[in-house]
mmCIF file of all heavy atoms in Angstrom:
data_model
loop_
_atom_site.group_PDB
_atom_site.id
_atom_site.type_symbol
_atom_site.label_atom_id
_atom_site.label_comp_id
_atom_site.label_asym_id
_atom_site.label_seq_id
_atom_site.Cartn_x
_atom_site.Cartn_y
_atom_site.Cartn_z
ATOM 1 N N GLU A 30 0.600 8.627 1.114
ATOM 2 C CA GLU A 30 1.242 9.905 0.859
ATOM 3 C C GLU A 30 0.681 10.908 1.870
ATOM 4 O O GLU A 30 -0.503 10.907 2.168
ATOM 5 C CB GLU A 30 0.943 10.371 -0.495
ATOM 6 C CG GLU A 30 1.856 11.472 -1.056
ATOM 7 C CD GLU A 30 1.688 11.721 -2.519
ATOM 8 O OE1 GLU A 30 2.307 11.005 -3.338
ATOM 9 O OE2 GLU A 30 0.964 12.644 -2.896
ATOM 10 N N GLU A 31 1.573 11.704 2.445
ATOM 11 C CA GLU A 31 1.088 12.678 3.322
ATOM 12 C C GLU A 31 0.581 13.965 2.657
ATOM 13 O O GLU A 31 1.141 14.300 1.642
ATOM 14 C CB GLU A 31 2.273 13.152 4.257
ATOM 15 C CG GLU A 31 2.293 12.513 5.586
ATOM 16 C CD GLU A 31 3.322 13.167 6.547
ATOM 17 O OE1 GLU A 31 3.833 14.208 6.172
ATOM 18 O OE2 GLU A 31 3.517 12.600 7.605
ATOM 19 N N SER A 32 -0.541 14.403 3.198
ATOM 20 C CA SER A 32 -1.096 15.621 2.601
ATOM 21 C C SER A 32 -1.687 16.424 3.656
ATOM 22 O O SER A 32 -2.013 15.945 4.806
ATOM 23 C CB SER A 32 -2.188 15.260 1.641
ATOM 24 O OG SER A 32 -2.657 16.410 0.922
ATOM 25 N N SER A 33 -1.765 17.764 3.492
ATOM 26 C CA SER A 33 -2.317 18.569 4.487
ATOM 27 C C SER A 33 -3.600 19.182 4.032
ATOM 28 O O SER A 33 -3.670 19.651 2.860
ATOM 29 C CB SER A 33 -1.350 19.636 5.004
ATOM 30 O OG SER A 33 -0.863 20.456 3.943
ATOM 31 N N ILE A 34 -4.571 19.271 4.890
ATOM 32 C CA ILE A 34 -5.924 19.881 4.554
ATOM 33 C C ILE A 34 -6.252 20.897 5.643
ATOM 34 O O ILE A 34 -5.642 20.843 6.807
ATOM 35 C CB ILE A 34 -7.016 18.917 4.354
ATOM 36 C CG1 ILE A 34 -7.120 18.047 5.736
ATOM 37 C CG2 ILE A 34 -6.692 17.943 3.261
ATOM 38 C CD1 ILE A 34 -8.380 17.395 5.807
ATOM 39 N N GLU A 35 -7.140 21.728 5.350
ATOM 40 C CA GLU A 35 -7.620 22.725 6.330
ATOM 41 C C GLU A 35 -8.935 22.203 6.911
ATOM 42 O O GLU A 35 -9.842 21.897 6.188
ATOM 43 C CB GLU A 35 -7.830 24.040 5.746
ATOM 44 C CG GLU A 35 -8.018 25.170 6.769
ATOM 45 C CD GLU A 35 -8.142 26.590 6.141
ATOM 46 O OE1 GLU A 35 -7.053 27.043 5.675
ATOM 47 O OE2 GLU A 35 -9.230 27.037 6.010
ATOM 48 N N CYS A 36 -9.022 22.074 8.215
ATOM 49 C CA CYS A 36 -10.197 21.581 8.884
ATOM 50 C C CYS A 36 -11.300 22.583 8.664
ATOM 51 O O CYS A 36 -11.117 23.788 9.007
ATOM 52 C CB CYS A 36 -9.944 21.407 10.378
ATOM 53 S SG CYS A 36 -11.472 21.005 11.335
ATOM 54 N N PRO A 37 -12.494 22.164 8.213
ATOM 55 C CA PRO A 37 -13.618 23.097 7.983
ATOM 56 C C PRO A 37 -14.237 23.574 9.293
ATOM 57 O O PRO A 37 -15.023 24.550 9.288
ATOM 58 C CB PRO A 37 -14.634 22.289 7.168
ATOM 59 C CG PRO A 37 -14.345 20.851 7.522
ATOM 60 C CD PRO A 37 -12.864 20.838 7.820
ATOM 61 N N GLU A 42 -4.697 23.528 10.161
ATOM 62 C CA GLU A 42 -4.146 22.648 9.047
ATOM 63 C C GLU A 42 -3.807 21.321 9.693
ATOM 64 O O GLU A 42 -3.042 21.318 10.664
ATOM 65 C CB GLU A 42 -2.948 23.297 8.355
ATOM 66 C CG GLU A 42 -2.639 22.625 7.108
ATOM 67 C CD GLU A 42 -1.581 23.462 6.281
ATOM 68 O OE1 GLU A 42 -2.100 24.292 5.472
ATOM 69 O OE2 GLU A 42 -0.448 23.250 6.426
ATOM 70 N N ILE A 43 -4.302 20.295 9.233
ATOM 71 C CA ILE A 43 -3.914 18.969 9.741
ATOM 72 C C ILE A 43 -3.290 18.131 8.623
ATOM 73 O O ILE A 43 -3.607 18.329 7.406
ATOM 74 C CB ILE A 43 -5.153 18.230 10.334
ATOM 75 C CG1 ILE A 43 -6.195 17.947 9.249
ATOM 76 C CG2 ILE A 43 -5.623 19.044 11.536
ATOM 77 C CD1 ILE A 43 -7.238 16.977 9.731
ATOM 78 N N THR A 44 -2.521 17.187 8.989
ATOM 79 C CA THR A 44 -1.842 16.252 8.096
ATOM 80 C C THR A 44 -2.533 14.947 8.081
ATOM 81 O O THR A 44 -2.779 14.366 9.076
ATOM 82 C CB THR A 44 -0.430 16.075 8.506
ATOM 83 O OG1 THR A 44 0.263 17.355 8.584
ATOM 84 C CG2 THR A 44 0.375 15.255 7.484
ATOM 85 N N ILE A 45 -2.831 14.439 6.914
ATOM 86 C CA ILE A 45 -3.454 13.199 6.719
ATOM 87 C C ILE A 45 -2.642 12.222 5.875
ATOM 88 O O ILE A 45 -1.848 12.706 5.016
ATOM 89 C CB ILE A 45 -4.886 13.277 6.107
ATOM 90 C CG1 ILE A 45 -4.828 13.994 4.741
ATOM 91 C CG2 ILE A 45 -5.818 14.101 7.086
ATOM 92 C CD1 ILE A 45 -6.086 13.836 4.036
ATOM 93 N N LEU A 46 -2.878 10.981 6.054
ATOM 94 C CA LEU A 46 -2.220 10.009 5.143
ATOM 95 C C LEU A 46 -3.353 9.447 4.200
ATOM 96 O O LEU A 46 -4.353 9.033 4.653
ATOM 97 C CB LEU A 46 -1.696 8.814 5.978
ATOM 98 C CG LEU A 46 -0.250 9.052 6.560
ATOM 99 C CD1 LEU A 46 0.034 7.866 7.477
ATOM 100 C CD2 LEU A 46 0.781 9.182 5.540
ATOM 101 N N VAL A 47 -2.940 9.499 2.932
ATOM 102 C CA VAL A 47 -3.908 9.018 1.900
ATOM 103 C C VAL A 47 -3.323 7.902 1.160
ATOM 104 O O VAL A 47 -2.132 7.846 0.765
ATOM 105 C CB VAL A 47 -4.214 10.213 0.937
ATOM 106 C CG1 VAL A 47 -5.254 9.757 -0.114
ATOM 107 C CG2 VAL A 47 -4.712 11.416 1.632
ATOM 108 N N ASP A 48 -4.167 6.876 0.926
ATOM 109 C CA ASP A 48 -3.742 5.689 0.156
ATOM 110 C C ASP A 48 -3.796 6.074 -1.357
ATOM 111 O O ASP A 48 -4.828 6.310 -1.874
ATOM 112 C CB ASP A 48 -4.642 4.553 0.458
ATOM 113 C CG ASP A 48 -4.282 3.265 -0.320
ATOM 114 O OD1 ASP A 48 -3.294 3.367 -1.097
ATOM 115 O OD2 ASP A 48 -4.946 2.249 -0.107
ATOM 116 N N VAL A 49 -2.686 6.216 -1.952
ATOM 117 C CA VAL A 49 -2.650 6.747 -3.348
ATOM 118 C C VAL A 49 -2.910 5.634 -4.393
ATOM 119 O O VAL A 49 -2.950 5.936 -5.555
ATOM 120 C CB VAL A 49 -1.276 7.421 -3.706
ATOM 121 C CG1 VAL A 49 -1.125 8.658 -2.839
ATOM 122 C CG2 VAL A 49 -0.131 6.473 -3.484
ATOM 123 N N GLN A 54 -11.874 8.021 -3.319
ATOM 124 C CA GLN A 54 -12.216 7.438 -2.038
ATOM 125 C C GLN A 54 -13.045 8.435 -1.217
ATOM 126 O O GLN A 54 -12.910 9.607 -1.362
ATOM 127 C CB GLN A 54 -11.057 6.963 -1.279
ATOM 128 C CG GLN A 54 -9.871 7.926 -1.258
ATOM 129 C CD GLN A 54 -8.615 7.266 -0.815
ATOM 130 O OE1 GLN A 54 -8.557 6.703 0.236
ATOM 131 N NE2 GLN A 54 -7.555 7.332 -1.616
ATOM 132 N N ASN A 55 -13.844 7.878 -0.379
ATOM 133 C CA ASN A 55 -14.669 8.662 0.559
ATOM 134 C C ASN A 55 -14.469 8.035 1.937
ATOM 135 O O ASN A 55 -14.660 6.943 2.195
ATOM 136 C CB ASN A 55 -16.143 8.322 0.178
ATOM 137 C CG ASN A 55 -16.779 9.550 -0.403
ATOM 138 O OD1 ASN A 55 -16.931 10.651 0.266
ATOM 139 N ND2 ASN A 55 -17.268 9.423 -1.620
ATOM 140 N N TYR A 56 -14.025 8.997 2.824
ATOM 141 C CA TYR A 56 -13.951 8.487 4.183
ATOM 142 C C TYR A 56 -14.008 9.664 5.147
ATOM 143 O O TYR A 56 -14.041 10.782 4.742
ATOM 144 C CB TYR A 56 -12.715 7.638 4.367
ATOM 145 C CG TYR A 56 -11.394 8.424 4.213
ATOM 146 C CD1 TYR A 56 -10.745 8.996 5.287
ATOM 147 C CD2 TYR A 56 -10.901 8.570 2.888
ATOM 148 C CE1 TYR A 56 -9.565 9.657 5.063
ATOM 149 C CE2 TYR A 56 -9.724 9.312 2.703
ATOM 150 C CZ TYR A 56 -9.081 9.826 3.825
ATOM 151 O OH TYR A 56 -7.935 10.579 3.612
ATOM 152 N N GLU A 58 -12.279 11.461 8.344
ATOM 153 C CA GLU A 58 -11.030 11.605 9.161
ATOM 154 C C GLU A 58 -11.326 12.495 10.312
ATOM 155 O O GLU A 58 -11.865 13.648 10.143
ATOM 156 C CB GLU A 58 -9.960 12.242 8.277
ATOM 157 C CG GLU A 58 -8.604 12.532 8.841
ATOM 158 C CD GLU A 58 -7.690 11.363 8.793
ATOM 159 O OE1 GLU A 58 -7.828 10.558 7.859
ATOM 160 O OE2 GLU A 58 -6.755 11.332 9.669
ATOM 161 N N ILE A 67 -14.319 14.925 9.731
ATOM 162 C CA ILE A 67 -14.314 15.716 8.509
ATOM 163 C C ILE A 67 -14.568 14.661 7.296
ATOM 164 O O ILE A 67 -13.820 13.639 7.207
ATOM 165 C CB ILE A 67 -12.907 16.299 8.188
ATOM 166 C CG1 ILE A 67 -12.473 17.151 9.353
ATOM 167 C CG2 ILE A 67 -12.939 17.114 6.883
ATOM 168 C CD1 ILE A 67 -11.062 17.519 9.294
ATOM 169 N N GLN A 68 -15.686 14.901 6.585
ATOM 170 C CA GLN A 68 -15.944 14.084 5.447
ATOM 171 C C GLN A 68 -14.999 14.436 4.313
ATOM 172 O O GLN A 68 -14.972 15.547 3.899
ATOM 173 C CB GLN A 68 -17.384 14.234 5.013
ATOM 174 C CG GLN A 68 -17.776 13.515 3.768
ATOM 175 C CD GLN A 68 -18.237 12.145 4.028
ATOM 176 O OE1 GLN A 68 -19.126 11.877 4.920
ATOM 177 N NE2 GLN A 68 -17.669 11.176 3.321
ATOM 178 N N LEU A 69 -14.270 13.416 3.867
ATOM 179 C CA LEU A 69 -13.345 13.689 2.837
ATOM 180 C C LEU A 69 -13.712 12.951 1.543
ATOM 181 O O LEU A 69 -14.007 11.691 1.590
ATOM 182 C CB LEU A 69 -11.919 13.223 3.173
ATOM 183 C CG LEU A 69 -11.226 14.068 4.241
ATOM 184 C CD1 LEU A 69 -9.949 13.385 4.621
ATOM 185 C CD2 LEU A 69 -10.966 15.437 3.824
ATOM 186 N N GLU A 70 -13.718 13.619 0.443
ATOM 187 C CA GLU A 70 -13.810 12.924 -0.726
ATOM 188 C C GLU A 70 -12.574 13.178 -1.566
ATOM 189 O O GLU A 70 -12.293 14.415 -1.862
ATOM 190 C CB GLU A 70 -15.050 13.461 -1.603
ATOM 191 C CG GLU A 70 -15.425 12.561 -2.727
ATOM 192 C CD GLU A 70 -16.748 12.856 -3.343
ATOM 193 O OE1 GLU A 70 -17.426 13.868 -2.911
ATOM 194 O OE2 GLU A 70 -17.125 12.178 -4.304
ATOM 195 N N VAL A 71 -11.790 12.187 -1.887
ATOM 196 C CA VAL A 71 -10.456 12.435 -2.412
ATOM 197 C C VAL A 71 -10.412 11.889 -3.862
ATOM 198 O O VAL A 71 -10.802 10.788 -4.086
ATOM 199 C CB VAL A 71 -9.441 11.674 -1.553
ATOM 200 C CG1 VAL A 71 -7.987 11.919 -2.117
ATOM 201 C CG2 VAL A 71 -9.541 12.119 -0.087
ATOM 202 N N PHE A 72 -9.924 12.791 -4.755
ATOM 203 C CA PHE A 72 -9.742 12.373 -6.114
ATOM 204 C C PHE A 72 -8.245 12.581 -6.462
ATOM 205 O O PHE A 72 -7.671 13.439 -5.917
ATOM 206 C CB PHE A 72 -10.505 13.341 -7.071
ATOM 207 C CG PHE A 72 -11.969 13.337 -6.844
ATOM 208 C CD1 PHE A 72 -12.490 14.337 -5.992
ATOM 209 C CD2 PHE A 72 -12.813 12.435 -7.403
ATOM 210 C CE1 PHE A 72 -13.889 14.401 -5.733
ATOM 211 C CE2 PHE A 72 -14.208 12.509 -7.146
ATOM 212 C CZ PHE A 72 -14.691 13.514 -6.312
ATOM 213 N N PHE A 73 -7.777 11.754 -7.325
ATOM 214 C CA PHE A 73 -6.457 11.906 -7.785
ATOM 215 C C PHE A 73 -6.451 12.291 -9.321
ATOM 216 O O PHE A 73 -7.039 11.497 -10.116
ATOM 217 C CB PHE A 73 -5.587 10.640 -7.628
ATOM 218 C CG PHE A 73 -5.317 10.327 -6.253
ATOM 219 C CD1 PHE A 73 -6.229 9.543 -5.424
ATOM 220 C CD2 PHE A 73 -4.259 10.960 -5.628
ATOM 221 C CE1 PHE A 73 -5.931 9.281 -4.114
ATOM 222 C CE2 PHE A 73 -3.992 10.661 -4.262
ATOM 223 C CZ PHE A 73 -4.835 9.874 -3.520
ATOM 224 N N VAL A 74 -5.939 13.461 -9.609
ATOM 225 C CA VAL A 74 -5.760 13.820 -11.040
ATOM 226 C C VAL A 74 -4.310 14.028 -11.147
ATOM 227 O O VAL A 74 -3.687 14.982 -10.725
ATOM 228 C CB VAL A 74 -6.551 15.114 -11.360
ATOM 229 C CG1 VAL A 74 -6.340 15.495 -12.814
ATOM 230 C CG2 VAL A 74 -7.987 15.013 -11.043
ATOM 231 N N THR A 76 -1.072 13.772 -9.717
ATOM 232 C CA THR A 76 -0.666 13.711 -8.371
ATOM 233 C C THR A 76 -1.386 14.779 -7.477
ATOM 234 O O THR A 76 -1.018 14.986 -6.370
ATOM 235 C CB THR A 76 0.855 13.926 -8.171
ATOM 236 O OG1 THR A 76 1.215 15.186 -8.770
ATOM 237 C CG2 THR A 76 1.590 12.764 -8.794
ATOM 238 N N THR A 77 -2.426 15.368 -8.117
ATOM 239 C CA THR A 77 -3.152 16.393 -7.345
ATOM 240 C C THR A 77 -4.302 15.756 -6.512
ATOM 241 O O THR A 77 -5.044 14.975 -6.959
ATOM 242 C CB THR A 77 -3.740 17.442 -8.284
ATOM 243 O OG1 THR A 77 -2.756 17.901 -9.100
ATOM 244 C CG2 THR A 77 -4.389 18.592 -7.554
ATOM 245 N N LEU A 78 -4.354 16.173 -5.273
ATOM 246 C CA LEU A 78 -5.384 15.735 -4.376
ATOM 247 C C LEU A 78 -6.527 16.790 -4.379
ATOM 248 O O LEU A 78 -6.269 17.908 -4.242
ATOM 249 C CB LEU A 78 -4.859 15.624 -2.970
ATOM 250 C CG LEU A 78 -3.998 14.341 -2.642
ATOM 251 C CD1 LEU A 78 -3.388 14.593 -1.260
ATOM 252 C CD2 LEU A 78 -4.897 13.173 -2.622
ATOM 253 N N TRP A 79 -7.712 16.295 -4.458
ATOM 254 C CA TRP A 79 -8.874 17.214 -4.349
ATOM 255 C C TRP A 79 -9.758 16.772 -3.129
ATOM 256 O O TRP A 79 -10.006 15.672 -2.931
ATOM 257 C CB TRP A 79 -9.708 17.105 -5.602
ATOM 258 C CG TRP A 79 -8.915 17.560 -6.826
ATOM 259 C CD1 TRP A 79 -8.153 16.820 -7.585
ATOM 260 C CD2 TRP A 79 -8.916 18.905 -7.316
ATOM 261 N NE1 TRP A 79 -7.633 17.575 -8.623
ATOM 262 C CE2 TRP A 79 -8.028 18.861 -8.486
ATOM 263 C CE3 TRP A 79 -9.537 20.142 -7.011
ATOM 264 C CZ2 TRP A 79 -7.790 19.999 -9.250
ATOM 265 C CZ3 TRP A 79 -9.255 21.179 -7.762
ATOM 266 C CH2 TRP A 79 -8.394 21.110 -8.904
ATOM 267 N N PHE A 80 -10.127 17.805 -2.407
ATOM 268 C CA PHE A 80 -10.992 17.517 -1.280
ATOM 269 C C PHE A 80 -12.261 18.370 -1.390
ATOM 270 O O PHE A 80 -12.248 19.412 -1.985
ATOM 271 C CB PHE A 80 -10.306 17.883 0.017
ATOM 272 C CG PHE A 80 -9.052 17.113 0.272
ATOM 273 C CD1 PHE A 80 -7.842 17.688 -0.040
ATOM 274 C CD2 PHE A 80 -9.135 15.844 0.736
ATOM 275 C CE1 PHE A 80 -6.656 16.971 0.208
ATOM 276 C CE2 PHE A 80 -7.923 15.082 0.928
ATOM 277 C CZ PHE A 80 -6.718 15.661 0.697
ATOM 278 N N ARG A 81 -13.290 17.794 -0.826
ATOM 279 C CA ARG A 81 -14.494 18.664 -0.743
ATOM 280 C C ARG A 81 -15.397 18.144 0.395
ATOM 281 O O ARG A 81 -15.225 17.036 0.873
ATOM 282 C CB ARG A 81 -15.261 18.734 -2.071
ATOM 283 C CG ARG A 81 -16.097 17.531 -2.333
ATOM 284 C CD ARG A 81 -16.944 17.692 -3.568
ATOM 285 N NE ARG A 81 -17.806 16.533 -3.806
ATOM 286 C CZ ARG A 81 -18.266 16.146 -4.969
ATOM 287 N NH1 ARG A 81 -17.997 16.839 -6.018
ATOM 288 N NH2 ARG A 81 -19.050 15.126 -5.084
#
Side-chain angles (χ1 to χ4, degrees):
E30 198 167 275
E31 259 191 10
S32 185
S33 57
I34 58 164
E35 192 177 286
C36 172
E42 198 167 271
I43 62 166
T44 302
I45 58 166
L46 276 174
V47 183
D48 181 0
V49 294
Q54 45 194 305
N55 249 298
Y56 63 97
E58 175 91 24
I67 307 166
Q68 174 86 52
L69 291 175
E70 193 169 4
V71 182
F72 303 92
F73 291 92
V74 180
T76 55
T77 306
L78 284 169
W79 297 86
F80 300 101
R81 77 176 183 203

